Amino acid sequence: MSDEQPVVVWFRQDLRLTDNPAWRAAAATGAPVIAVYVLDDDNAGEWRMGGASRWWLHQSLAALNASLDGKLNLFAGAADKIIPALAEDTDAAAVLWNRCYEPWRIARDKTIKATLKEAGHNPQSFNGSLLFEPQQVLKKDGTPYRVFTPFYRNGYATSTPRSPAPAPRTPELLTAPGAQPLDDLALMPAIAWYETMAGEWTPGEDGARQRLDVFIEQGLSNYRNGRDRPDKAFVSRLSPHIHHGEISVNTLWQAVTGAADEGQVEHFRRELAWREFSYSLLYHFPELPSKNLQPAFDNYPWHAGDDALEAWQRGNTGYPIVDAGMRELWQTGYMHNRVRMIVGSFLVKNLEVHWHYGEDWFWDTLLDADLANNSASWQWVAGSGADAAPFFRIFNPVTQGEKFDPDGVYVRKYVPEIAELPNKYLHKPWEAPAILLDSADIRIGETYPAPVVNLKESRQRALDHYRESRNALER
């Protein structure tokens, strides 16, 4: 490789300089580097980023650009055209990137790699997103795991991921022909609904590290049990940073070592491994976002999106813990994990709305919208996926609220119209005596919705429909 020929580094879901294998390999060549990001909505198709993720991406790209002294080259369009053309125009000696695992990206990247190789531009890809790649953690017969516990026990509990690498010295950076200003990517929403998000988050590599430090100091020591409490600050809230690659999972794995009791550390690492399990499922079962992994659900009589779906989306179901979660999502681009399970179960099993509708809504509104995690999680809560919750496990939003938000802190924050109710009735306001409702100026069905569905009846209906669809498959 001559000194004159540059190296192209293609940033993707790895918007950081620390522990970035492709960036580190490029810097090690000693050649000038062209740092590139391509917003490829053309190939993404139906899986182009939703509104919340696009807002985050705008901020994250701005932060990365600042770290690169304003030398991040931005493009919008089909990456399978832009990257080879850029390599040709700059006579690049090599093009380096970190691998992604979404089916559409795998197909596109194979095409790009073949084109670059044929033209002599030496494509090289690295693992910068996962602790272990999907091909590495398999059963003894070479088939993928469909159950998490053996996946974790045989692939993660007994293996040590590579240690994270520090950021290299910044090489000479070049400007690419045809690069666009960040605003030209049109990532920012036309309506400023994101203002609440902007006050809660700090996208970028520095923000990710700050968030990790806060978690280790304030949350990790209570993580195992505290992570189920949406009213407490025990979860990491790192998921948007992880999804956009502002911090590596290897950094997280190492950072918690010795930072708390081993049981707490182990539980956090298991959650990182659940992310890896989702990626393994998507890699080996690429129809995961659209097709039930368990065929019994193909016959289930799902409802189409209707008024009940809209009530769920807007946080107006009449069940306070559900409504709090959906409003948190809309206002902040995030939802606590325990509440995600509650609202998912409610949509799929009490309202009997197909999990695809929930998947689509989360895709557009979550800052951490991730194809592997989103689709695997919705199939898990629906009961149709790998190692899924049994269909008869239907979360009761009243008892879940009373157990995990016992003092009503979470509900009162996001459902202020019922905040004056005592804890006894906060999670079931329709049961409150009229005198209490009057004193709190609450009118069920007016100032706060009446329940959109009866929990007992809808639970039994869902179980009956599942039994019927399973029996139909067996006949």
Side-chain angles (χ1 to χ4, degrees), residues 161-431:
R162 65 164 178 81
S163 296
R169 182 176 179 178
T170 302
E172 178 187 356
L173 297 173
L174 302 180
T175 300
Q180 303 170 245
L182 177 57
D183 287 342
D184 284 4
L185 270 58
L187 294 167
M188 293 293 286
I191 302 173
W193 54 264
Y194 54 82
E195 289 178 345
T196 306
M197 287 189 229
E200 294 219 1
W201 301 96
T202 307
E205 187 171 3
D206 289 344
R209 188 71 219 196
Q210 292 166 13
R211 182 61 239 166
L212 173 60
D213 291 343
V214 169
F215 170 60
I216 289 176
E217 181 180 343
Q218 300 179 9
L220 182 60
S221 62
N222 294 293
Y223 185 77
R224 181 167 48 193
N225 295 318
R227 67 181 298 272
D228 280 322
R229 293 285 298 270
D231 59 333
K232 304 291 184 181
F234 294 141
V235 294
S236 73
R237 291 175 67 89
L238 281 162
S239 54
H241 298 287
I242 297 171
H243 170 69
H244 292 277
E246 298 167 349
I247 193 166
S248 74
V249 284
N250 298 78
T251 296
L252 300 178
W253 189 275
Q254 185 182 76
V256 297
T257 302
D261 174 81
E262 186 57 32
Q264 306 291 345
V265 170
E266 172 73 8
H267 207 84
F268 178 69
R269 284 177 169 169
R270 283 180 66 91
E271 294 307 312
L272 295 179
W274 264 105
R275 173 180 179 270
E276 305 257 322
F277 184 53
S278 297
Y279 270 81
S280 177
L281 292 174
L282 180 63
Y283 180 83
H284 293 291
F285 305 99
E287 293 183 322
L288 181 72
S290 57
K291 183 178 179 181
N292 297 314
L293 289 188
Q294 297 189 32
F297 288 85
D298 294 344
N299 299 311
Y300 194 91
W302 304 107
H303 292 175
D306 52 16
D307 292 344
L309 172 63
E310 183 176 355
W312 178 84
Q313 291 172 333
R314 302 301 177 189
N316 289 318
T317 68
Y319 290 98
I321 193 72
V322 174
D323 294 341
M326 299 307 295
R327 296 181 192 187
E328 179 190 24
L329 173 61
W330 184 254
Q331 294 173 29
T332 72
Y334 176 86
M335 190 190 302
H336 187 278
N337 186 65
R338 166 58 60 171
V339 185
R340 294 189 196 200
M341 292 189 285
I342 297 169
V343 304
S345 174
F346 185 81
L347 179 72
V348 173
K349 298 175 181 179
N350 294 104
L351 300 182
E352 291 191 292
V353 173
H354 199 295
W355 58 267
H356 285 163
Y357 289 93
E359 178 186 37
D360 290 345
W361 186 253
F362 273 27
W363 184 257
D364 193 44
T365 54
L366 276 174
L367 293 167
D368 60 23
D370 181 282
L371 190 60
N373 291 316
N374 195 40
S375 52
S377 295
W378 274 101
Q379 290 231 40
W380 181 90
V381 79
S384 62
D387 200 12
F391 190 80
F392 57 78
R393 186 184 183 190
I394 300 176
F395 289 85
N396 183 308
V398 175
T399 57
Q400 289 282 307
E402 291 171 341
K403 181 177 181 180
F404 296 114
D405 186 29
D407 298 318
V409 173
Y410 180 74
V411 162
R412 287 188 172 93
K413 180 177 181 179
Y414 291 106
V415 192
E417 61 266 43
I418 61 170
E420 296 302 316
L421 284 178
N423 291 344
K424 179 178 180 180
Y425 297 107
L426 186 67
H427 295 287
K428 46 187 177 184
W430 60 90
E431 291 188 5

